Amino acid sequence: MPMPKIADAAQPRLAKGVRLQNDSATGKSVLLFPEGIVELNDTAHEILARCDGRTLIEIVQTLAEEYDADLAALAADVRETLADLQQRKLIELT
Amino acid sequence: MTAPRPYALLAEITYRCPLHCPYCSNPMQGRNNDELNTDEWKRVIHEAAALGVLQIGFSGGEPLARRDLPDLVRAAREADLYTNLITSGIGLDDERVHPLRDAGLDSIQLSFQSDQSGLSDEIAGARAHQHKLDAAAKIRAAGIPLSLNFVIHRRNIDRLPQMIDLAETLGAERVELANVQFYGWAFLNRAVLLPTREQVTRAREVATAAKARLAGKIDIFYVLPDYYETRPKPCLNGWGQRYLTINPIGDVLPCPTASSAIPDLRFENVRARALDWIWRESESFNRFRGTEWMPEPCRSCPQREIDFGGCRCQAALLTGNAANTDPVCELSPNRAIVDAVLGDLNSSSKHAREWTYRVNPKGVPVSSLARSPVAAGADRGPGA
């Protein structure tokens, strides 16, 4: 099923019941939810750490500045990561 | 071999339960006369966190039967654990739900037997369904994330679409549709609980369609009916790899059903040993760890690190030897045992209907059960 494209103005947030936490055993970020744990890669961590009410385009712009990355490529990465998390009900869009 | 770090602890804090579900995976001869006390559980929770555990599930029995549940939740949150309550919802009134929320409870998994009160109460052996609906409303009102758990079997599997509708109506974030797995009371009642092949095929279609339709809205987790599969489930993601269970009296188990399914395994107790030692060094956790213990066809199988040879408890229950390949596997020399069970059911239109309701472990006075508005109906026959 094709995933709907996330709008620039969408505000991604962690879904209800999902916690972002540092795993002290590995130093990595994890998402915790009922009977589930997802270990995040660095990209996903950097994105989720900014899902605090900012819009998608604001998150992309911040990351592009901080990492001196290409805006279009970064936007595609962020959209893909968030769409995947949204399908799994780990984030919500408002 | 070196022990990995565990991720999740299932804390079975009591075997007491006001329901009598015939599919309960609790041991039929469980001991419950010397439950760990509050301080013992708090110590164990901190030991688990130190070992690397990130999640704790409070289960049972019915965990609400223990009045100290909010204290245990608070201890788990202080140890940075994700806290999940797995409950029948019986007795979950405002007086109970608010202290749990205030203690930081992350999520509640509320069990349902079906979507209709008649069938649900018959399965539970108690008038429970309406209380569950009320509990769901209270959980939502308290702002605690809600999952609905359904155990699926022959008597309710045809109502899968309605069960999913109920989850939508109640505003659940997640739904677990778990085909019954045959351990404990469920193993005893297998002839009544096992669905037909036709039912299983239809249920799979319903679940797949609902999962696609509700993606991003409700997360649907479908547990396969493993007797109908050709390869075994990756039970526990491998023995002693990610999970540990502690039962009401403090025995530490690689899985909740191991104590009843594998009688020759001796389990260590948190009253006598540190959890760290039990996880790393004990015979019970090392017996089936890794791949060294595997017989053929597992030993040389390319799937051995994917399904880990399936379930040790199932191998023990069906073949009498926990070290055998799970007989669900089509490559197992014992697959005929599973096929015979399926054949008996699917070749006949006359199906067993009399199940045995779960009863509480002996030595538990009835007065110590959770104060619940439910009239226990253990002696009530099915088909009422």
Side-chain angles (χ1 to χ4, degrees):
Chain A
M1 204 176 62
M3 287 190 273
K5 193 181 172 193
I6 300 175
D8 283 353
Q11 294 170 285
R13 286 178 194 274
L14 287 182
K16 214 172 157 201
V18 180
R19 238 163 76 191
L20 174 64
Q21 191 167 303
N22 180 60
D23 176 4
S24 54
T26 61
K28 294 210 160 126
S29 270
V30 287
L31 285 183
L32 302 175
F33 51 97
E35 293 191 19
I37 296 168
V38 171
E39 195 170 282
L40 299 174
N41 60 28
D42 293 344
T43 314
H45 167 75
E46 293 302 323
I47 297 168
L48 283 172
R50 287 164 182 78
C51 288
D52 50 9
R54 281 179 254 196
T55 63
L56 178 116
I57 196 68
E58 285 166 349
I59 294 168
V60 171
Q61 280 163 353
T62 322
L63 287 170
E65 279 165 31
E66 282 179 42
Y67 292 91
D68 196 20
D70 174 62
L71 202 66
L74 195 65
D77 272 1
V78 171
R79 272 207 173 83
E80 192 187 334
T81 302
L82 289 177
D84 173 51
L85 292 168
Q86 200 249 339
Q87 290 286 299
R88 294 153 77 183
K89 192 106 206 300
L90 295 174
I91 62 155
E92 289 165 352
L93 301 169
T94 49
Chain B
M1 69 168 286
T2 344
R5 57 75 76 93
Y7 284 85
L9 166 63
L10 185 68
E12 294 187 319
I13 57 177
T14 181
Y15 282 143
R16 291 173 278 155
C17 185
L19 303 193
H20 305 281
C21 309
Y23 55 72
C24 186
S25 62
N26 278 177
M28 292 178 59
Q29 313 291 343
R31 264 184 62 212
N32 203 81
N33 51 357
D34 195 15
E35 289 181 1
L36 295 184
N37 66 29
T38 312
D39 287 339
E40 287 172 318
W41 271 116
K42 285 184 181 173
R43 169 174 64 78
V44 167
I45 286 167
H46 282 97
E47 285 186 52
L51 200 48
V53 163
L54 294 172
Q55 285 227 3
I56 185 168
F58 292 100
S59 180
E62 173 49 64
L64 289 168
R66 286 192 56 141
R67 310 303 294 191
D68 59 355
L69 184 58
D71 297 332
L72 304 184
V73 170
R74 188 169 287 109
R77 282 304 307 258
E78 281 164 7
D80 257 353
L81 301 188
Y82 187 92
T83 53
N84 196 12
L85 170 63
I86 302 143
T87 178
S88 69
I90 306 302
L92 193 64
D93 50 17
D94 288 332
E95 214 176 287
R96 298 301 302 277
V97 83
H98 292 149
L100 289 169
R101 179 196 56 199
D102 298 344
L105 184 62
D106 287 291
S107 150
I108 294 184
Q109 290 181 278
L110 183 60
S111 74
F112 275 87
Q113 279 63 42
S114 188
D115 65 298
Q116 304 162 299
S117 59
L119 178 58
S120 298
D121 292 354
E122 188 199 328
I123 294 168
R127 279 192 295 281
H129 190 72
Q130 186 57 48
H131 296 294
K132 289 165 181 279
L133 296 174
D134 296 344
K138 290 190 193 313
I139 293 165
R140 300 297 303 166
I144 303 173
L146 172 66
S147 302
L148 258 48
N149 284 11
F150 293 92
V151 173
I152 310 298
H153 48 84
R154 192 161 80 235
R155 292 293 307 283
N156 67 5
I157 192 168
D158 297 330
R159 299 205 56 86
L160 214 53
Q162 292 86 350
M163 294 184 209
I164 296 165
D165 289 348
L166 178 65
E168 269 192 276
T169 309
L170 294 178
E173 265 79 37
R174 296 194 144 71
V175 188
E176 191 174 303
L177 304 168
N179 275 282
V180 60
Q181 311 283 305
F182 296 106
Y183 309 99
W185 294 87
F187 188 69
L188 174 76
N189 288 310
R190 188 177 61 185
V192 195
L193 297 172
L194 187 69
T196 65
R197 189 175 295 279
E198 217 174 290
Q199 285 181 311
V200 163
T201 306
R202 206 161 45 233
R204 191 190 309 259
E205 290 165 7
V206 169
T208 308
K211 205 173 160 66
R213 178 172 65 85
L214 295 169
K217 190 171 175 227
I218 300 183
D219 186 40
I220 296 184
F221 184 62
Y222 186 67
V223 178
L224 295 168
D226 67 345
Y227 277 39
Y228 283 98
E229 300 296 310
T230 52
R231 292 300 171 98
K233 59 194 168 204
C235 202
L236 304 164
N237 268 287
W239 185 270
Q241 296 295 314
R242 303 182 130 238
Y243 301 100
L244 65 160
T245 296
I246 302 180
N247 77 9
I249 60 166
D251 284 348
V252 188
L253 314 170
C255 99
T257 57
S259 62
S260 55
I262 313 178
D264 67 320
L265 216 49
R266 203 181 131 261
F267 301 102
E268 307 291 337
N269 193 283
V270 293
R271 282 177 171 138
R273 292 280 197 174
L275 194 60
D276 184 274
W277 183 90
I278 298 173
W279 171 259
R280 289 178 204 286
E281 308 292 338
S282 71
E283 205 261 332
S284 53
F285 272 85
N286 283 301
R287 172 91 70 98
F288 303 114
R289 210 171 234 157
T291 53
E292 287 300 302
W293 60 273
M294 286 181 177
E296 290 295 354
C298 293
R299 181 176 280 272
S300 59
C301 181
Q303 297 279 106
R304 68 184 177 279
E305 309 246 20
I306 293 168
D307 61 34
F308 313 102
C311 172
R312 297 305 88 230
C313 297
Q314 188 140 279
L317 285 169
L318 296 184
T319 76
N321 181 358
N324 278 339
T325 298
D326 187 333
V328 156
C329 185
E330 61 186 342
L331 303 174
S332 159
N334 294 305
R335 172 69 208 193
I337 296 171
V338 176
D339 286 335
V341 175
L342 297 181
D344 281 351
L345 177 77
N346 287 293
S347 62
S348 160
S349 56
K350 269 194 249 152
H351 297 150
R353 283 181 63 87
E354 298 283 321
W355 55 39
T356 304
Y357 281 106
R358 175 201 193 274
V359 291
N360 278 297
K362 288 199 174 62
V364 182
V366 175
S367 59
S368 72
L369 286 170
R371 250 183 240 126
S372 88
V374 171
D379 52 353
R380 194 157 63 90

